[in-house]
Amino acid sequence: MVAARLWWLLRALAHLPVAVLDGGWNQWIAEGRAQSAEVPRPPPARFSGKVNKNWVSADFVRSRLDDPSTVLVDARAPDRFRGHNETLDPVGGRIPGARNRYFRDKPRRERPFQDA
C-alpha cells in the first residue's frame, strides 16, 4: 500500500518514470529475475516537483459525478468504503457514485468493482 501511494504521489508531482514491483520481491525471485547483493550508489540529485497537468481537482470530480462516462474508483477496504470502519478520514463513507475496488483484491475480469 505504501509503495502504491508513493507511486501516486510521485506521478502527481509530474515524476513519471516511476514503477511499483507488481507481486513483490517474492514474485521477482519466483520468476528467476536478476538479483544482486551490491548496494547501488546513485549520484546525488535534486527533485523539484511540478503540478502534473493531468491532475484533477475536487471541482473536476464534482462536476462529473453524474457523467456515466466517468468512473471514480475508491481503493479502500470495503468496510471503509461503506463507512462502517473509518480509521483515517474525518468522515466515513464515500463520494456518491464511486465504485469500490480494494487495492488488495486480486483482479476480477467478470466484475471488477463492488457496489456499496
Side-chain angles (χ1 to χ4, degrees):
M1 179 175 78
V2 174
R5 284 182 182 236
L6 179 57
W7 174 89
W8 177 86
L9 177 62
L10 288 169
R11 291 190 58 91
L13 293 171
H15 183 70
L16 303 181
V18 61
V20 173
L21 183 58
D22 188 11
W25 181 247
N26 291 336
Q27 183 170 334
W28 182 272
I29 293 170
E31 292 175 354
R33 296 180 183 266
Q35 304 170 44
S36 172
E38 182 181 336
V39 177
R41 300 207 186 277
R46 184 172 301 274
F47 175 69
S48 297
K50 304 175 199 106
V51 175
N52 187 330
K53 64 182 178 187
N54 296 315
W55 183 263
V56 298
S57 67
D59 288 336
F60 177 91
V61 172
R62 191 177 298 113
S63 71
R64 286 161 178 79
L65 287 177
D66 295 324
D67 181 348
S69 68
T70 300
V71 177
L72 181 61
V73 179
D74 186 325
R76 296 177 300 161
D79 59 337
R80 287 188 62 212
F81 176 75
R82 291 188 301 269
H84 296 166
N85 180 26
E86 188 47 62
T87 56
L88 299 172
D89 296 319
V91 177
R94 61 184 169 80
I95 295 173
R99 306 296 302 269
N100 186 222
R101 176 64 177 85
Y102 186 32
F103 74 93
R104 286 190 177 160
D105 286 348
K106 294 193 182 291
R108 293 171 294 184
R109 297 186 197 283
E110 67 282 352
R111 190 167 179 236
F113 299 106
Q114 294 180 8
D115 295 319

